[in-house]
């Protein structure tokens, strides 16, 4: 074979090897982030908001962090904990995912042993149940806790004319937590809880519970039900004439979900809630966030779930910058502790002791603004920690 041909063959071989090597390096440099969320079924809108928030953050800030490409892998667990466990196992072993984003409370609890065993940094973007971050040292939360909202609302209500409160709450873990924290805080503030009524989560008829509440003659009704049911309860509240009795309707921010609020009736006007995010939050960052979100999501309003995903990606990006792109779980979690930043919700941080979110809680009133319903903030409680964990000290 002529020397020229041999030279060309050698060059071709080197180029080929170089391409293979470059491909391997590129693959190594890619950081896979797995989001295990409910995307179908009754709670499908929850997962879709979280994923939309995460994707919007990446669209705004690019997909390269510390010189490494971020690859987002989204999987649907259909709200089934066993699905979450199986999917997480696949993501860790087959897809080689380095960081996880968690969804609903039962599903996050189901993956806690896997996360702990694999030492995988996991950002809880949806669950609001206090105990979650205690189940794995690799859980860090960017969503909220029910206790934060309920405790603030109870204190505010006690200081603003509420003396006797009846509680109507869905019979499931979040409802129990919100109702329990509200009752404890309200009682300590000098108020009286007339009765706590537990409503079935599936297909409830609120009429008999509202009648029973009315018979107890409270001055305030605290409700905790899924946002999709809040409109029905408010409608029945008006139909049964409770609004004419002077009974005030209050609850956590969940009951006036920004995605559902535009379709609710004017019966919601005047409802007071405590929440950490409103699409009507008056900051330049949030106005831009809402505009960008609606632009890429068929004009759907971002809700409180969406910012959990958005801020979750921010936390991941900033932690990777601190570790120079290293995905070691303990190092990432350590980098996340104590981090603070400005969010569409307002200022927020991660408690270095509990790995839980610390943020402002706002008292809001549902008002009609230019023909549309919004939660309009009128009181701000700064830097609220999870009160159940403060009590542990």
């Amino acid at each position: 074979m002529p020397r020229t041909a041999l030279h060309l063959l050698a060059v071709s071989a080197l180029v080929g090897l170089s391409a293979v090597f470059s491909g391997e390096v590129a693959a190594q440099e890619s950081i896979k982030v797995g989001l295990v969320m409910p995307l179908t079924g009754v709670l499908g809108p929850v997962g879709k908001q979280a994923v939309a928030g995460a994707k919007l953050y990446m669209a705004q800030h690019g997909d390269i962090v510390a010189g490494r490409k971020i690859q987002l892998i989204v999987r649907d667990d259909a709200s089934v904990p066993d699905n979450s466990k199986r999917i997480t196992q696949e993501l860790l072993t087959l897809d080689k995912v380095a960081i996880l984003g968690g969804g609903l409370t039962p599903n996050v609890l189901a993956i806690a042993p896997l996360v702990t065993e694999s030492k995988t940094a996991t950002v809880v973007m949806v669950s609001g149940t206090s105990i979650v971050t205690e189940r794995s040292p690799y859980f860090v939360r960017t969503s909220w806790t029910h206790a934060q909202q309920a405790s603030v609302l109870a204190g505010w209500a006690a200081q603003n004319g509420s003396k006797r409160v009846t509680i109507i709450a869905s019979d499931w873990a979040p409802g129990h937590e919100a109702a329990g924290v509200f009752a404890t805080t309200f009682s300590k503030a000098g108020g009286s809880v007339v009765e706590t009524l537990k409503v079935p989560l599936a297909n409830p008829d609120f009429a008999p519970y509202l009648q029973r509440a009315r018979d107890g003659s409270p001055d305030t009704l605290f409700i905790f039900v899924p946002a999709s049911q809040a409109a029905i309860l408010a409608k029945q509240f008006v139909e049964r004439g409770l609004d004419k009795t002077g009974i005030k309707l209050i609850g956590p921010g969940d009951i006036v979900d920004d995605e559902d609020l535009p379709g609710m009736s004017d019966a919601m006007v005047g409802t007071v809630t405590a929440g950490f995010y409103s699409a009507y939050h008056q900051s330049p960052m949030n106005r831009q966030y809402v505009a960008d979100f609606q632009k890429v999501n068929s004009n759907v309003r971002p809700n409180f779930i969406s910012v959990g995903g958005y801020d979750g990606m921010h936390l991941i990006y900033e932690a990777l910058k601190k570790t120079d792109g290293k995905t070691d779980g303990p190092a990432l979690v350590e980098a996340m502790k104590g981090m603070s930043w400005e969010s569409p919700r307002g200022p927020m941080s991660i408690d270095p002791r509990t790995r839980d979110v610390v943020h402002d809680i706002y008292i809001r009133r549902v008002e009609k603004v230019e023909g549309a319903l919004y939660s309009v903030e009128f009181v701000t409680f700064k830097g609220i920690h999870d009160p159940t964990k403060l009590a542990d000290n």
Side-chain angles (χ1 to χ4, degrees):
M1 183 178 294
R3 180 173 296 181
T4 302
L6 285 171
H7 176 72
L8 290 173
L9 182 60
V11 171
S12 297
L14 286 172
V15 170
L17 286 172
S18 177
V20 171
F21 180 74
S22 296
E24 290 176 350
V25 171
Q28 290 170 358
E29 289 180 347
S30 176
I31 298 174
K32 295 179 180 178
V33 178
L35 301 188
V36 186
M37 297 286 173
L39 300 175
T40 56
V42 177
L43 294 175
V46 171
K48 288 176 181 176
Q49 281 272 355
V51 171
K55 287 184 175 179
L56 179 57
Y57 186 86
M58 292 184 68
Q60 290 178 341
H61 297 85
D63 61 358
I64 304 295
V65 180
R68 303 184 66 180
K69 184 177 178 63
I70 304 299
Q71 181 183 350
L72 197 63
I73 300 176
V74 180
R75 297 287 300 275
D76 177 20
D77 63 20
S79 307
V80 179
D82 283 345
N83 287 350
S84 296
K85 193 173 181 179
R86 173 182 54 78
I87 291 169
T88 298
Q89 185 72 57
E90 292 172 357
L91 288 173
L92 293 173
T93 58
L94 300 179
D95 295 301
K96 307 300 181 184
V97 161
I99 304 167
L100 289 167
L104 303 172
T105 296
N107 304 58
V108 173
L109 294 178
I111 70 172
L114 295 173
V115 166
T116 302
E117 183 182 356
S118 63
K119 298 182 179 180
T120 304
T122 301
V123 179
V124 178
M125 300 177 176
V126 176
S127 172
T129 304
S130 290
I131 61 167
V132 161
T133 52
E134 299 171 2
R135 295 303 174 88
S136 173
Y138 296 95
F139 282 158
V140 183
R141 189 186 336 245
T142 58
S143 49
W144 83 104
T145 73
H146 299 297
Q148 288 172 326
Q149 298 183 141
S151 62
V152 166
L153 185 57
W156 178 86
Q159 293 172 5
N160 287 272
S162 294
K163 303 296 182 184
R164 290 169 48 83
V165 172
T166 292
I167 298 171
I168 296 180
S170 296
D171 192 8
W172 65 323
H176 300 163
E177 181 167 303
V181 170
F182 181 91
T184 299
T185 309
F186 188 69
S187 298
K188 285 182 178 178
S192 172
V193 176
V194 178
E195 191 174 11
T196 297
L197 305 174
K198 296 180 180 179
V199 182
L201 184 60
N203 305 314
D205 176 10
F206 296 109
Y209 298 95
L210 288 168
Q211 185 58 51
R212 183 165 170 176
R214 181 173 186 168
D215 293 343
S217 301
D219 54 52
T220 305
L221 185 62
F222 172 84
I223 62 171
F224 183 96
V225 297
S228 57
Q229 297 175 5
I232 300 170
L233 190 151
K235 184 172 182 290
Q236 292 183 347
F237 181 86
V238 173
E239 288 175 347
R240 301 191 74 80
L242 271 74
D243 59 322
K244 302 296 192 298
T245 65
I247 297 175
K248 292 172 284 191
L249 187 63
I250 66 174
D254 312 45
I255 67 172
V256 287
D257 185 323
D258 271 298
E259 184 174 359
D260 297 322
L261 198 53
M264 293 183 181
S265 75
D266 287 355
M268 295 301 294
V269 172
T271 301
V272 172
T273 61
F276 64 94
Y277 176 74
S278 167
Y280 199 70
H281 179 63
Q282 295 299 297
S283 75
M285 174 178 273
N286 186 55
R287 285 194 287 271
Q288 188 63 55
Y289 176 70
V290 172
D292 290 349
F293 189 97
Q294 291 188 307
K295 186 176 181 179
V296 295
N297 291 286
S298 303
N299 214 35
V300 171
R301 267 193 215 171
N303 68 3
F304 65 102
I305 297 293
S306 76
V307 294
Y310 186 86
D311 288 322
M313 290 308 297
H314 175 87
L315 185 64
I316 290 169
Y317 273 41
E318 294 303 310
L320 285 169
K321 290 176 185 177
K322 283 189 174 184
T323 63
D324 293 322
K326 296 181 179 64
T327 58
D328 173 70
L332 279 174
V333 171
E334 196 60 34
M336 292 175 182
K337 291 179 180 179
M339 195 176 290
S340 62
W341 66 96
E342 183 70 19
S343 157
R345 73 182 83 183
M348 66 177 290
S349 63
I350 302 299
D351 186 320
R353 183 180 67 87
T354 64
R355 290 164 281 108
D356 239 323
V357 60
V358 179
H359 51 189
D360 294 351
I361 299 293
Y362 309 93
I363 304 297
R364 308 95 54 82
R365 183 181 294 105
V366 175
E367 298 179 12
K368 205 156 193 177
V369 182
E370 296 180 356
L373 296 179
Y374 283 96
S375 291
V376 179
E377 301 159 358
F378 61 94
V379 178
T380 301
F381 289 81
K382 294 284 190 179
I384 302 300
H385 292 250
D386 186 311
T388 65
K389 289 165 186 165
L390 288 175
D392 290 340
N393 283 343

